[in-house]
Amino acid sequence: MAKIQMKTPLVEMDGDEMTRVIWQMLKDKLILPFVDLKSEYYDLGLEKRNETNDQITVDSAEATKKYGVAVKCATITPNAARMDEYNLKEMWKSPNGTIRAILDGTVFRQPILVKGITPYIPTWTKPICIARHAYGDVYKNVEMIVEQGSKAELCVTDQEGMESRETIFDFKNSSGIIQGMHNLDSSISSFARSCFNYALDQKMDLWFATKDTISKKYDHTFKDIFTKIFETEYKEKFEAAGITYFYTLIDDAVARVIRSNGGYIWACKNYDGDVMSDMIATAFGSLAMMTSVLVSPAGVYEFEAAHGTVQRHYYKHLKGEETSTNSVATIFAWSGALRKRGELDGITELCDFADKLEKATIDTIEAGIMTGDLYLLSTLENKQKVNTEAFLDAVHDRLTEL
């Protein structure tokens, strides 16, 4: 069978540990036999990031802006222990954070539903997609430990050198801590447009939630920017598409989510999205069954797995021991990137192949062949736990039949 031809490369970002092992295995079994893959390759493994002083991460993000589509393997964000393990020059920043900042994107994460795995919230019959703002807040905060007897102030100096001050707290009776956060109107606007565009693309209702009753300037600014952009740019488009935009407080949103059937996009500020995406993933079954795509307002897409590098399995792999690592999120990262590349380049065959790859993966699990994490969750009667490679082989066999 002739391989599917590509016109434009996609950006390929390799990663670390067990997911790096799966990355090559997946390409060899599920991509290269069927697609004449064109990719611009960047090794974002920790060793290469250390060697290039993390410039390779910046280069991969710039390449993504150039070509419009990227697929990324899970990577290590080093802590103190990793500094020693990898003999690092410094504690390099999260590659995801760097890429998100450069692309000015919003992260959309959505569970992959399969028969035999019932969400912990049984009314969730349709997926809930979390849209996470990927700039600012606690991730770019400034922190200080404050000694007793000190007074903390928020000071802003304008272009003319004039200062505005607000007292944060007078620590006369106790020592304590302070934290300063910021965001940008431009980034919030990009976040809003990415959410509205993605909702139209997916034909899903959009919810947005903050705590503007308490944070009357910070959170309220998010609410106001979303409202203004929706009313002036998207209201008529949403009405034509038959979908709605809905704003509520974050605590009310949580209550509504628990009582819902799913089937919508839930937009969250950075920290809220970080927490809620893991909650949604776990409640639906597994973080390894979660798609993740970074979308910029300029229409640039970066697909990745929502989970980490599966360190424990990697150490078993290095010892020659068998692993049963779930590769589904990584498979869907590749299928998402290939489908988007096909859509942008008008290659129907590539879009069809992405659909078939996802169907083959789901069909394999629903036939009872699955990795250990799903085996523990599945209610299927005739289920079989297989190792990492055997699962990919089973998907390959079904893919060739479609």
Side-chain angles (χ1 to χ4, degrees):
M1 185 178 69
K3 292 184 179 182
I4 300 168
Q5 299 298 306
M6 294 176 62
K7 295 177 183 177
T8 312
L10 55 79
V11 176
E12 179 185 348
M13 306 175 185
D14 211 341
D16 289 297
E17 297 187 320
M18 196 63 205
T19 44
R20 185 184 183 94
V21 175
I22 291 173
W23 192 260
Q24 188 60 51
M25 200 182 296
L26 188 160
K27 284 174 60 181
D28 291 342
K29 295 177 183 294
L30 303 181
I31 308 296
L32 297 178
F34 307 96
V35 178
D36 185 16
L37 182 65
K38 287 183 170 59
S39 68
E40 188 163 304
Y41 178 85
Y42 292 86
D43 183 357
L44 298 193
L46 192 49
E47 294 96 335
K48 183 62 69 172
R49 281 183 275 143
N50 190 59
E51 178 186 322
T52 63
N53 296 324
D54 209 29
Q55 181 60 40
I56 195 164
T57 305
V58 175
D59 293 344
S60 70
E62 293 297 338
T64 303
K65 291 170 69 174
K66 175 182 177 182
Y67 292 109
V69 181
V71 58
K72 180 183 175 295
C73 184
T75 47
I76 294 169
T77 299
N79 55 18
R82 299 293 199 168
M83 289 280 291
D84 296 332
E85 181 181 357
Y86 285 88
N87 193 27
L88 301 180
K89 300 173 186 175
E90 63 178 81
M91 202 177 296
W92 303 110
K93 295 179 181 179
S94 161
N96 291 339
T98 299
I99 293 165
R100 289 167 189 165
I102 292 173
L103 297 184
D104 191 22
T106 296
V107 181
F108 296 89
R109 289 184 171 174
Q110 182 169 313
I112 302 162
L113 304 186
V114 295
K115 293 176 183 176
I117 298 178
T118 304
Y120 287 93
I121 310 296
T123 57
W124 288 355
T125 56
K126 293 176 284 188
I128 298 169
C129 178
I130 294 289
R132 174 187 171 190
H133 188 208
Y135 178 82
D137 297 343
V138 71
Y139 302 89
K140 284 189 174 293
N141 78 87
V142 178
E143 302 173 318
M144 293 180 68
I145 295 174
V146 182
E147 296 293 333
Q148 182 176 345
S150 304
K151 183 171 75 170
E153 295 181 309
L154 192 63
C155 176
V156 176
T157 307
D158 67 17
Q159 297 180 71
E160 308 301 325
M162 298 293 293
E163 292 184 351
S164 300
R165 291 177 177 270
E166 291 281 352
T167 298
I168 298 171
F169 194 74
D170 190 338
F171 291 85
K172 58 185 178 181
N173 296 322
S174 174
S175 57
I177 47 177
I178 59 172
Q179 182 182 80
M181 300 194 307
H182 80 281
N183 225 295
L184 303 173
D185 287 359
S186 57
S187 182
I188 301 168
S189 297
S190 294
F191 174 39
R193 290 190 176 93
S194 291
C195 290
F196 292 133
N197 288 335
Y198 196 74
L200 288 168
D201 184 52
Q202 299 296 310
K203 294 182 173 57
M204 296 174 73
D205 292 341
L206 174 67
W207 300 10
F208 180 49
T210 69
K211 194 67 173 177
D212 65 284
T213 53
I214 301 299
S215 178
K216 299 182 185 297
K217 293 182 180 177
Y218 195 98
D219 280 22
H220 214 295
T221 296
F222 276 82
K223 177 186 177 182
D224 290 344
I225 289 175
F226 262 75
T227 299
K228 181 179 179 181
I229 290 176
F230 176 73
E231 292 291 335
T232 58
E233 300 178 30
Y234 290 94
K235 186 175 182 178
E236 292 181 359
K237 295 177 183 178
F238 269 52
E239 290 173 352
I243 59 176
T244 60
Y245 167 64
F246 171 73
Y247 174 82
T248 189
L249 296 173
I250 187 69
D251 45 345
D252 180 55
V254 171
R256 289 172 180 267
V257 165
I258 295 300
R259 294 194 301 265
S260 77
N261 300 121
Y264 48 83
I265 300 167
W266 180 11
C268 298
K269 289 165 54 194
N270 207 345
Y271 182 80
D272 293 339
D274 192 0
V275 175
M276 295 305 175
S277 63
D278 276 12
M279 184 271 286
I280 291 291
T282 303
F284 269 101
S286 171
L287 192 59
M289 298 289 287
M290 197 84 166
T291 65
S292 182
V293 55
L294 179 72
V295 183
S296 83
V300 174
Y301 293 76
E302 183 245 340
F303 296 82
E304 62 180 344
H307 56 72
T309 57
V310 203
Q311 179 184 10
R312 182 172 58 86
H313 285 201
Y314 180 61
Y315 291 159
K316 288 181 65 177
H317 171 78
L318 291 179
K319 294 176 183 176
E321 299 176 12
E322 185 176 276
T323 64
S324 185
T325 314
N326 191 332
S327 56
V328 172
T330 306
I331 293 172
F332 272 66
W334 272 99
S335 63
L338 291 171
R339 182 185 296 107
K340 181 54 64 176
R341 185 75 279 162
E343 289 174 359
L344 294 176
D345 291 350
I347 305 174
T348 305
E349 297 84 356
L350 199 56
C351 298
D352 291 343
F353 171 75
D355 293 341
K356 290 176 181 178
L357 178 55
E358 292 179 1
K359 177 174 171 49
T361 304
I362 292 173
D363 286 351
T364 298
I365 298 169
E366 294 184 346
I369 301 171
M370 61 194 75
T371 48
D373 60 323
L374 299 184
Y375 182 86
L376 295 173
L377 295 170
S378 177
T379 58
L380 294 177
E381 292 184 2
N382 299 314
K383 58 184 179 179
Q384 176 188 358
K385 176 185 172 182
V386 297
N387 64 31
T388 306
E389 187 168 5
F391 178 76
L392 291 170
D393 285 335
V395 175
H396 172 270
D397 292 344
R398 278 172 173 72
L399 184 57
T400 58
E401 296 171 357
L402 293 176

